[in-house]
Amino acid sequence: MSQSIYGYIRVSSRDQNEDRQLIAMREIDVPEKNIYTDKQSGKDFERPQYKKLVRKLKRDDLLYIKSIDRLGRNYEEIQNQWRLLTKDKGVDICVIDMPLLDTRRGKDLVGTFLSDIVLQVLSFVAENERVNIRQRQAEGIAAAKARGVRFGRPPRPLPEGYHSAYQRWKAGKITGTAAARECGMPLSTFRYRAAIYEKSTLS
């Protein structure tokens, strides 16, 4: 049975560019029709093009990926997929940026052992980086909120006459319901905007 050569490319979002990975695939003569690309997070393997590729792969085929984190970022799932491809399906994998991760080399016990160790280290690093990115994002958001940066859609401008309605409501001359009706908004929205309005006038 003849060997087919495939390539798998993944970028994390639709606005990221896959050119660098595509150039690497072309340099090693992976046929264009055999290159599968997902524009999706690497947190799991529920990716349409990856699943299509796995169905296509057969024993003794060769799969190229640019780096281990292009396969995925989840430590345990990278291990599971690697085993599925190399052991269950009998496919060879070559990680372009890491020559030690080439299952065509050293198919003896020592070669397999070294490959397994390198894979474990790299997949751990990939997941650790994903965790660090998430933590840095959370810390960045918290720091921005502490500086007063507001997230989400900006509030709609206050309607004409809001100041007058607010002042009369605050002085007890009209009810909140009447003030909200004047402003054309629900009572809960009027009270919410009143709290913000009060802070802005005091600051």
Side-chain angles (χ1 to χ4, degrees), residues 35-91:
I35 298 174
Y36 291 75
T37 303
D38 277 310
K39 296 194 173 186
Q40 199 170 327
S41 164
K43 65 180 180 179
D44 58 44
F45 285 86
E46 291 303 311
R47 307 177 217 137
Q49 288 301 305
Y50 179 78
K51 290 167 89 169
K52 188 176 177 182
L53 168 64
V54 172
R55 288 196 297 271
K56 190 87 174 172
L57 288 166
K58 60 186 185 302
R59 183 166 293 278
D60 296 326
D61 282 347
L62 173 60
L63 172 63
Y64 282 102
I65 54 173
K66 182 79 169 68
S67 57
I68 196 67
D69 64 345
R70 296 306 87 200
L71 186 61
R73 286 188 177 277
N74 182 300
Y75 174 65
E76 187 176 349
E77 289 203 22
I78 291 173
Q79 303 273 340
N80 292 340
Q81 288 299 312
W82 190 275
R83 276 192 291 271
L84 167 74
L85 294 170
T86 59
K87 304 292 193 294
D88 299 351
K89 292 189 75 76
V91 173

Side-chain angles (χ1 to χ4, degrees), residues 135-146:
Q135 184 176 337
R136 285 196 296 270
Q137 285 172 338
E139 288 170 354
I141 290 168
K145 283 182 175 176

Side-chain angles (χ1 to χ4, degrees), residues 20 31 33 37 59 74 85 88 91 97 113 131-132 145 148-149 155 158 171 179 186 194 197:
R20 193 171 60 87
K33 65 183 176 64
T37 303
R59 183 166 293 278
N74 182 300
L85 294 170
D88 299 351
V91 173
D97 286 351
F113 177 67
V131 170
N132 286 341
K145 283 182 175 176
V149 175
L158 291 170
Y197 183 77

Side-chain angles (χ1 to χ4, degrees), residues 7-191:
Y8 179 67
I9 291 172
R10 184 186 67 78
V11 290
S12 298
S13 61
R14 294 199 172 276
D15 58 352
Q16 285 190 335
N17 198 310
E18 66 270 25
D19 286 355
R20 193 171 60 87
Q21 295 176 69
L22 200 52
I23 290 166
M25 297 295 170
R26 286 170 178 160
E27 285 176 349
I28 50 180
D29 296 324
V30 178
E32 292 278 341
K33 65 183 176 64
N34 288 353
I35 298 174
Y36 291 75
T37 303
D38 277 310
K39 296 194 173 186
Q40 199 170 327
S41 164
K43 65 180 180 179
D44 58 44
F45 285 86
E46 291 303 311
R47 307 177 217 137
Q49 288 301 305
Y50 179 78
K51 290 167 89 169
K52 188 176 177 182
L53 168 64
V54 172
R55 288 196 297 271
K56 190 87 174 172
L57 288 166
K58 60 186 185 302
R59 183 166 293 278
D60 296 326
D61 282 347
L62 173 60
L63 172 63
Y64 282 102
I65 54 173
K66 182 79 169 68
S67 57
I68 196 67
D69 64 345
R70 296 306 87 200
L71 186 61
R73 286 188 177 277
N74 182 300
Y75 174 65
E76 187 176 349
E77 289 203 22
I78 291 173
Q79 303 273 340
N80 292 340
Q81 288 299 312
W82 190 275
R83 276 192 291 271
L84 167 74
L85 294 170
T86 59
K87 304 292 193 294
D88 299 351
K89 292 189 75 76
V91 173
D92 276 316
I93 305 177
C94 175
V95 180
I96 299 169
D97 286 351
M98 181 55 63
L100 279 172
L101 279 178
D102 184 344
T103 59
R104 295 170 299 176
R105 299 178 182 180
K107 287 188 179 273
D108 58 6
L109 189 61
V110 174
T112 303
F113 177 67
L114 284 173
S115 248
D116 284 348
I117 288 175
V118 173
L119 173 64
Q120 286 185 43
V121 170
L122 289 180
S123 52
F124 171 77
V125 168
E127 181 174 10
N128 196 50
E129 178 59 15
R130 181 170 69 92
V131 170
N132 286 341
I133 287 170
R134 203 163 55 224
Q135 184 176 337
R136 285 196 296 270
Q137 285 172 338
E139 288 170 354
I141 290 168
K145 283 182 175 176
R147 293 195 308 272
V149 175
R150 302 177 82 170
F151 293 87
R153 289 184 299 179
R156 296 170 73 176
L158 291 170
E160 265 187 63
Y162 184 88
H163 177 75
S164 170
Y166 169 82
Q167 292 295 345
R168 283 180 287 127
W169 167 72
K170 196 72 176 169
K173 293 178 181 177
I174 58 172
T175 64
T177 303
R181 193 182 303 117
E182 274 188 38
C183 297
M185 58 177 59
L187 178 59
S188 58
T189 304
F190 175 81
R191 285 180 172 161

